[in-house]
Amino acid sequence: MITGLGALTQDTPWCFSQVKGTVEIGATEADIISTVEFNHTGELLATGDKGGRVVIFQREQESKNQVHRRGEYNVYSTFQSHEPEFDYLKSLEIEEKINKIRWLPQQNAAYFLLSTNDKTVKLWKVSERDKRPEGYNLKDEEGRLRDPATITTLRVPVLRPMDLMVEATPRRVFANAHTYHINSISVNSDYETYMSADDLRINLWNFEITNQSFNIVDIKPANMEELTEVITAAEFHPHHCNTFVYSSSKGTIRLCDMRASALCDRHTKFFEEPEDPSNRSFFSEIISSISDVKFSHSGRYIMTRDYLTVKVWDLNMENRPIETYQVHDYLRSKLCSLYENDCIFDKFECVWNGSDSVIMTGSYNNFFRMFDRNTKRDVTLEASRENSKPRAILKPRKVCVGGKRRKDEISVDSLDFSKKILHTAWHPSENIIAVAATNNLYIFQDKVN
Amino acid sequence: MEFKLEAHRIVSISLGKIYNSRVQRGGIKLHKNLLVSLVLRSARQVYLSDPCPGLYLAGHPGAPAAPQQPEESAAGPPAGWGEPPPPASRAAWPEPEPQPERPAVPEVPRAGDAEPAATVTAAGDTLQGGEAEAPEAAWRRVEGPRETAVGAGGPAGVSGVCPEGPEAARGPCGCPAGDEDKLSAAPRVDRCLASRPAAAEPPASPPVCARKRGAAGVGGGPADCPAPGSTPLKKPRQNSEEQPGGAAAAAEEEEEMETGNVANLISIFGSSFSGLLRKSPGGGREEAEGEESGPEAAEPGQICCDKPVLRDINPWSTAIVAF
């Protein structure tokens, strides 16, 4: 049951639920979470990190004894998805960092997810084993082969219960299809195909076939020196398996229909907002680069994130977004310093809630922002250890832009730009959110009476 | 004027980022480098279009006017630029008289803070053909050419970028122009001076090369330039002048800007410039070999140690093409 954010901030605020990850200051870079994703039921929550590991959390069944607390997420499986590789031809190291994880809808007892680094996509099967066969004829209990001559009787092996074991096995490896760095993967609604997008190309794969893929978008110019834009994100439409969108570094979104042609270089729709000339600066191009694009659950809207704003577009209107939300406009005057310290290149993601009424995205100082599309109200919350008491209500935060700083406000210059929230996820049907703050994963939920 | 300073700073930061991206784990990130190159291009455009008053002198009657140039309006620079007959201005630039200048120039970088005026005077004397100047006037004059060329950057297009070359050659003045407030210029000068001795390579070569480079760059704008190697450079620059818009032109502009900016870069990087030469990995050379455009290929002949620098400085094009 989803309630709007307006009600949430007043009657049912957000509460701390859990935090995963270490507190120590010397946390390694490998622990930095690089992607977060709920599966389609919200029962599982997957995170990928810079060290190439995937950690999957599973929600506990709600117990009748503790109705006030919804099920907690506990570690379900951990595995090393990608390892660092070396491309000998180009003398380049391929990072093992997990760029994206996408779940497949569940079709049997096992769970399937796609995880990708810069170059290779892998399909992982995560399955449970709670029984094992015992009573083999040709093998003894330790698995050693028995001499057939010593066997005098035959028996039928039986399955006996064992401690639950969750195993993750790589079922498919989709490699060698991308020259540039993969930034997105998206599972098609037909559940048979998926796409992977790098800076200049998008490939369509069939889950069963790993040695071939179709190239459906190619924006590489004949002369690389004429390059003016790259693909930054791509996603399939949630219901129409022929439709997908991809965003560019120029702040544009193209919607393509795969029925139109095999190579979708010509878009079906082109979404672009005219630039406001009064905001022109050296960094106008950088801050207009779209870092994430997400279809709404309904499929009617797309949401894009650029450096300072989140925009909602109606698929039926190409010339401008229907809504624009300022995430941290106070940074507009600081673009030069943010360019110097590379923060201007941070790629923030954005997410819809289950009913498409609220959108969420991250910011600096471990702040994250939620915008209610109906009430037009927004809130800034913080993921910090200080607010980490069980069921502690998160207090809205405020950044003071200038002039007198009120109590509890934080000034722009005091913001910690090393604490950035790039990755967040929203449970598909409930008000539970997962927020990745460097190497920690925070889980918040709305207060339940 | 502030825009120019800002633009210059942004250019130097951007180039640093492009360089660093080559040693980052995971390979060159195309998206980030594209964005950085766009910033570089914007900053360069601002840098060149900002009508910074300044007069490029060095060997022409306009010299005495130099100290007043910074205060002059934008009308000043074009006049100042136009005053010296182009051959004379070229003469003031390295080619025709490198020999007399060379001995003077290397001394400048090695000069400590106490001596810039004196050595600069020597250089100035050489350049101006023996005009007797007070050290301070000579000091300003040395700064003047930088400002002039920068000012001329407006009308002459790219050439404004190049004066950093001669300025770098003179060492102490390898600081960005655009600030006629000597007070604020001084710290920069000190910094440049301080960084010079730290340079690993012989100070003579880069400044001279930079100056030649600068001439080549300057030659790109005005039609007549005696520097032999500059001719190939002219074409892309003129092309970009004529087609300011368009993606292709933008890319060309961006690429040729990088090549033309080497002299500028030398001053920008200062001591880190020597780092570029030292740290230039083999990978960089290989990349550069792959694609080198005509102008760059033509330059190695005239540029001594700039070659590896040039290739390092132009990693964007080399990187993306090699990529």
PDB file of all heavy atoms in Angstrom, chain A residues 43-64:
ATOM      1  N   GLU A  43      11.704  -9.138  -2.712  1.00  0.00           N
ATOM      2  CA  GLU A  43      12.173 -10.077  -1.703  1.00  0.00           C
ATOM      3  C   GLU A  43      13.698 -10.079  -1.624  1.00  0.00           C
ATOM      4  O   GLU A  43      14.278 -10.307  -0.574  1.00  0.00           O
ATOM      5  CB  GLU A  43      11.669 -11.486  -2.055  1.00  0.00           C
ATOM      6  CG  GLU A  43      12.073 -12.543  -1.061  1.00  0.00           C
ATOM      7  CD  GLU A  43      12.052 -13.934  -1.666  1.00  0.00           C
ATOM      8  OE1 GLU A  43      11.601 -14.083  -2.833  1.00  0.00           O
ATOM      9  OE2 GLU A  43      12.494 -14.875  -0.983  1.00  0.00           O
ATOM     10  N   LEU A  44      14.320  -9.826  -2.747  1.00  0.00           N
ATOM     11  CA  LEU A  44      15.775  -9.836  -2.784  1.00  0.00           C
ATOM     12  C   LEU A  44      16.312  -8.456  -3.140  1.00  0.00           C
ATOM     13  O   LEU A  44      15.687  -7.714  -3.909  1.00  0.00           O
ATOM     14  CB  LEU A  44      16.288 -10.832  -3.832  1.00  0.00           C
ATOM     15  CG  LEU A  44      15.936 -12.289  -3.612  1.00  0.00           C
ATOM     16  CD1 LEU A  44      16.504 -13.121  -4.754  1.00  0.00           C
ATOM     17  CD2 LEU A  44      16.457 -12.797  -2.278  1.00  0.00           C
ATOM     18  N   LEU A  45      17.461  -8.148  -2.557  1.00  0.00           N
ATOM     19  CA  LEU A  45      18.122  -6.871  -2.811  1.00  0.00           C
ATOM     20  C   LEU A  45      19.572  -7.192  -3.140  1.00  0.00           C
ATOM     21  O   LEU A  45      20.260  -7.807  -2.331  1.00  0.00           O
ATOM     22  CB  LEU A  45      18.034  -5.988  -1.561  1.00  0.00           C
ATOM     23  CG  LEU A  45      18.751  -4.644  -1.565  1.00  0.00           C
ATOM     24  CD1 LEU A  45      18.208  -3.737  -2.649  1.00  0.00           C
ATOM     25  CD2 LEU A  45      18.581  -3.978  -0.204  1.00  0.00           C
ATOM     26  N   ALA A  46      20.001  -6.801  -4.322  1.00  0.00           N
ATOM     27  CA  ALA A  46      21.364  -7.117  -4.747  1.00  0.00           C
ATOM     28  C   ALA A  46      22.211  -5.855  -4.765  1.00  0.00           C
ATOM     29  O   ALA A  46      21.730  -4.781  -5.150  1.00  0.00           O
ATOM     30  CB  ALA A  46      21.357  -7.756  -6.132  1.00  0.00           C
ATOM     31  N   THR A  47      23.462  -6.003  -4.357  1.00  0.00           N
ATOM     32  CA  THR A  47      24.414  -4.898  -4.479  1.00  0.00           C
ATOM     33  C   THR A  47      25.653  -5.423  -5.182  1.00  0.00           C
ATOM     34  O   THR A  47      26.036  -6.581  -5.009  1.00  0.00           O
ATOM     35  CB  THR A  47      24.838  -4.333  -3.109  1.00  0.00           C
ATOM     36  OG1 THR A  47      25.507  -5.355  -2.369  1.00  0.00           O
ATOM     37  CG2 THR A  47      23.646  -3.829  -2.324  1.00  0.00           C
ATOM     38  N   GLY A  48      26.248  -4.542  -5.971  1.00  0.00           N
ATOM     39  CA  GLY A  48      27.524  -4.864  -6.592  1.00  0.00           C
ATOM     40  C   GLY A  48      28.528  -3.845  -6.107  1.00  0.00           C
ATOM     41  O   GLY A  48      28.166  -2.703  -5.793  1.00  0.00           O
ATOM     42  N   ASP A  49      29.782  -4.244  -6.034  1.00  0.00           N
ATOM     43  CA  ASP A  49      30.773  -3.290  -5.552  1.00  0.00           C
ATOM     44  C   ASP A  49      31.952  -3.184  -6.515  1.00  0.00           C
ATOM     45  O   ASP A  49      32.014  -3.882  -7.531  1.00  0.00           O
ATOM     46  CB  ASP A  49      31.240  -3.633  -4.130  1.00  0.00           C
ATOM     47  CG  ASP A  49      31.963  -4.977  -4.029  1.00  0.00           C
ATOM     48  OD1 ASP A  49      32.492  -5.451  -5.050  1.00  0.00           O
ATOM     49  OD2 ASP A  49      31.994  -5.556  -2.931  1.00  0.00           O
ATOM     50  N   LYS A  50      32.865  -2.294  -6.158  1.00  0.00           N
ATOM     51  CA  LYS A  50      34.000  -2.039  -7.040  1.00  0.00           C
ATOM     52  C   LYS A  50      34.944  -3.226  -7.105  1.00  0.00           C
ATOM     53  O   LYS A  50      35.764  -3.326  -8.019  1.00  0.00           O
ATOM     54  CB  LYS A  50      34.769  -0.810  -6.537  1.00  0.00           C
ATOM     55  CG  LYS A  50      34.211   0.496  -7.023  1.00  0.00           C
ATOM     56  CD  LYS A  50      35.235   1.613  -6.827  1.00  0.00           C
ATOM     57  CE  LYS A  50      34.812   2.852  -7.585  1.00  0.00           C
ATOM     58  NZ  LYS A  50      35.799   3.924  -7.479  1.00  0.00           N
ATOM     59  N   GLY A  51      34.861  -4.094  -6.125  1.00  0.00           N
ATOM     60  CA  GLY A  51      35.746  -5.248  -6.126  1.00  0.00           C
ATOM     61  C   GLY A  51      35.189  -6.408  -6.938  1.00  0.00           C
ATOM     62  O   GLY A  51      35.771  -7.490  -6.938  1.00  0.00           O
ATOM     63  N   GLY A  52      34.076  -6.192  -7.616  1.00  0.00           N
ATOM     64  CA  GLY A  52      33.525  -7.233  -8.473  1.00  0.00           C
ATOM     65  C   GLY A  52      32.640  -8.231  -7.745  1.00  0.00           C
ATOM     66  O   GLY A  52      32.264  -9.253  -8.312  1.00  0.00           O
ATOM     67  N   ARG A  53      32.326  -7.935  -6.499  1.00  0.00           N
ATOM     68  CA  ARG A  53      31.486  -8.879  -5.741  1.00  0.00           C
ATOM     69  C   ARG A  53      30.023  -8.481  -5.820  1.00  0.00           C
ATOM     70  O   ARG A  53      29.678  -7.319  -5.929  1.00  0.00           O
ATOM     71  CB  ARG A  53      31.896  -8.886  -4.276  1.00  0.00           C
ATOM     72  CG  ARG A  53      33.205  -9.587  -3.995  1.00  0.00           C
ATOM     73  CD  ARG A  53      33.617  -9.330  -2.583  1.00  0.00           C
ATOM     74  NE  ARG A  53      33.657  -7.887  -2.351  1.00  0.00           N
ATOM     75  CZ  ARG A  53      34.573  -7.292  -1.605  1.00  0.00           C
ATOM     76  NH1 ARG A  53      35.514  -8.018  -1.035  1.00  0.00           N
ATOM     77  NH2 ARG A  53      34.532  -5.981  -1.426  1.00  0.00           N
ATOM     78  N   VAL A  54      29.182  -9.494  -5.712  1.00  0.00           N
ATOM     79  CA  VAL A  54      27.739  -9.264  -5.628  1.00  0.00           C
ATOM     80  C   VAL A  54      27.284  -9.815  -4.284  1.00  0.00           C
ATOM     81  O   VAL A  54      27.647 -10.940  -3.910  1.00  0.00           O
ATOM     82  CB  VAL A  54      26.999  -9.974  -6.775  1.00  0.00           C
ATOM     83  CG1 VAL A  54      25.497  -9.904  -6.570  1.00  0.00           C
ATOM     84  CG2 VAL A  54      27.372  -9.337  -8.104  1.00  0.00           C
ATOM     85  N   VAL A  55      26.535  -9.021  -3.563  1.00  0.00           N
ATOM     86  CA  VAL A  55      25.959  -9.483  -2.301  1.00  0.00           C
ATOM     87  C   VAL A  55      24.455  -9.381  -2.440  1.00  0.00           C
ATOM     88  O   VAL A  55      23.924  -8.336  -2.821  1.00  0.00           O
ATOM     89  CB  VAL A  55      26.428  -8.615  -1.109  1.00  0.00           C
ATOM     90  CG1 VAL A  55      25.795  -9.110   0.180  1.00  0.00           C
ATOM     91  CG2 VAL A  55      27.939  -8.628  -1.009  1.00  0.00           C
ATOM     92  N   ILE A  56      23.780 -10.470  -2.145  1.00  0.00           N
ATOM     93  CA  ILE A  56      22.322 -10.488  -2.249  1.00  0.00           C
ATOM     94  C   ILE A  56      21.745 -10.618  -0.846  1.00  0.00           C
ATOM     95  O   ILE A  56      22.166 -11.495  -0.079  1.00  0.00           O
ATOM     96  CB  ILE A  56      21.840 -11.658  -3.122  1.00  0.00           C
ATOM     97  CG1 ILE A  56      22.459 -11.540  -4.513  1.00  0.00           C
ATOM     98  CG2 ILE A  56      20.322 -11.686  -3.211  1.00  0.00           C
ATOM     99  CD1 ILE A  56      22.095 -12.681  -5.431  1.00  0.00           C
ATOM    100  N   PHE A  57      20.808  -9.741  -0.540  1.00  0.00           N
ATOM    101  CA  PHE A  57      20.111  -9.798   0.740  1.00  0.00           C
ATOM    102  C   PHE A  57      18.703 -10.315   0.485  1.00  0.00           C
ATOM    103  O   PHE A  57      18.071 -10.005  -0.512  1.00  0.00           O
ATOM    104  CB  PHE A  57      20.028  -8.403   1.375  1.00  0.00           C
ATOM    105  CG  PHE A  57      21.357  -7.766   1.602  1.00  0.00           C
ATOM    106  CD1 PHE A  57      21.936  -6.965   0.633  1.00  0.00           C
ATOM    107  CD2 PHE A  57      22.052  -7.972   2.789  1.00  0.00           C
ATOM    108  CE1 PHE A  57      23.177  -6.376   0.827  1.00  0.00           C
ATOM    109  CE2 PHE A  57      23.288  -7.390   2.997  1.00  0.00           C
ATOM    110  CZ  PHE A  57      23.858  -6.595   2.012  1.00  0.00           C
ATOM    111  N   GLN A  58      18.225 -11.082   1.456  1.00  0.00           N
ATOM    112  CA  GLN A  58      16.859 -11.596   1.336  1.00  0.00           C
ATOM    113  C   GLN A  58      16.047 -11.104   2.508  1.00  0.00           C
ATOM    114  O   GLN A  58      16.537 -11.039   3.647  1.00  0.00           O
ATOM    115  CB  GLN A  58      16.870 -13.124   1.309  1.00  0.00           C
ATOM    116  CG  GLN A  58      15.500 -13.723   1.069  1.00  0.00           C
ATOM    117  CD  GLN A  58      15.508 -15.219   1.205  1.00  0.00           C
ATOM    118  OE1 GLN A  58      16.136 -15.756   2.119  1.00  0.00           O
ATOM    119  NE2 GLN A  58      14.825 -15.910   0.315  1.00  0.00           N
ATOM    120  N   ARG A  59      14.816 -10.803   2.209  1.00  0.00           N
ATOM    121  CA  ARG A  59      13.971 -10.286   3.271  1.00  0.00           C
ATOM    122  C   ARG A  59      13.415 -11.433   4.082  1.00  0.00           C
ATOM    123  O   ARG A  59      12.918 -12.419   3.537  1.00  0.00           O
ATOM    124  CB  ARG A  59      12.820  -9.508   2.637  1.00  0.00           C
ATOM    125  CG  ARG A  59      12.089  -8.654   3.616  1.00  0.00           C
ATOM    126  CD  ARG A  59      11.124  -7.809   2.866  1.00  0.00           C
ATOM    127  NE  ARG A  59      10.370  -6.960   3.762  1.00  0.00           N
ATOM    128  CZ  ARG A  59       9.249  -6.382   3.438  1.00  0.00           C
ATOM    129  NH1 ARG A  59       8.746  -6.565   2.244  1.00  0.00           N
ATOM    130  NH2 ARG A  59       8.630  -5.607   4.303  1.00  0.00           N
ATOM    131  N   GLU A  60      13.515 -11.262   5.370  1.00  0.00           N
ATOM    132  CA  GLU A  60      12.957 -12.278   6.257  1.00  0.00           C
ATOM    133  C   GLU A  60      11.460 -12.301   6.132  1.00  0.00           C
ATOM    134  O   GLU A  60      10.838 -11.264   5.914  1.00  0.00           O
ATOM    135  CB  GLU A  60      13.251 -11.898   7.707  1.00  0.00           C
ATOM    136  CG  GLU A  60      14.528 -12.462   8.267  1.00  0.00           C
ATOM    137  CD  GLU A  60      14.716 -11.949   9.671  1.00  0.00           C
ATOM    138  OE1 GLU A  60      13.706 -11.551  10.299  1.00  0.00           O
ATOM    139  OE2 GLU A  60      15.865 -11.921  10.119  1.00  0.00           O
ATOM    140  N   GLN A  61      10.908 -13.452   6.371  1.00  0.00           N
ATOM    141  CA  GLN A  61       9.450 -13.524   6.440  1.00  0.00           C
ATOM    142  C   GLN A  61       9.006 -12.752   7.660  1.00  0.00           C
ATOM    143  O   GLN A  61       9.621 -12.832   8.712  1.00  0.00           O
ATOM    144  CB  GLN A  61       9.008 -14.977   6.580  1.00  0.00           C
ATOM    145  CG  GLN A  61       9.389 -15.851   5.381  1.00  0.00           C
ATOM    146  CD  GLN A  61       8.781 -15.341   4.103  1.00  0.00           C
ATOM    147  OE1 GLN A  61       7.653 -14.877   4.092  1.00  0.00           O
ATOM    148  NE2 GLN A  61       9.543 -15.412   3.020  1.00  0.00           N
ATOM    149  N   GLU A  62       7.955 -12.021   7.530  1.00  0.00           N
ATOM    150  CA  GLU A  62       7.470 -11.268   8.684  1.00  0.00           C
ATOM    151  C   GLU A  62       6.970 -12.238   9.728  1.00  0.00           C
ATOM    152  O   GLU A  62       6.237 -13.160   9.438  1.00  0.00           O
ATOM    153  CB  GLU A  62       6.345 -10.325   8.266  1.00  0.00           C
ATOM    154  CG  GLU A  62       6.842  -9.233   7.365  1.00  0.00           C
ATOM    155  CD  GLU A  62       5.772  -8.237   7.010  1.00  0.00           C
ATOM    156  OE1 GLU A  62       4.810  -8.090   7.794  1.00  0.00           O
ATOM    157  OE2 GLU A  62       5.884  -7.636   5.943  1.00  0.00           O
ATOM    158  N   SER A  63       7.413 -11.994  10.904  1.00  0.00           N
ATOM    159  CA  SER A  63       6.993 -12.890  11.980  1.00  0.00           C
ATOM    160  C   SER A  63       5.771 -12.302  12.661  1.00  0.00           C
ATOM    161  O   SER A  63       5.596 -11.095  12.729  1.00  0.00           O
ATOM    162  CB  SER A  63       8.119 -13.068  12.986  1.00  0.00           C
ATOM    163  OG  SER A  63       8.321 -11.866  13.684  1.00  0.00           O
ATOM    164  N   LYS A  64       4.970 -13.178  13.169  1.00  0.00           N
ATOM    165  CA  LYS A  64       3.757 -12.690  13.824  1.00  0.00           C
ATOM    166  C   LYS A  64       4.077 -11.986  15.125  1.00  0.00           C
ATOM    167  O   LYS A  64       3.305 -11.194  15.621  1.00  0.00           O
ATOM    168  CB  LYS A  64       2.807 -13.864  14.062  1.00  0.00           C
ATOM    169  CG  LYS A  64       2.349 -14.484  12.759  1.00  0.00           C
ATOM    170  CD  LYS A  64       1.219 -15.461  12.966  1.00  0.00           C
ATOM    171  CE  LYS A  64       0.703 -16.004  11.643  1.00  0.00           C
ATOM    172  NZ  LYS A  64       1.739 -16.233  10.636  1.00  0.00           N
TER     173      LYS A  64
END
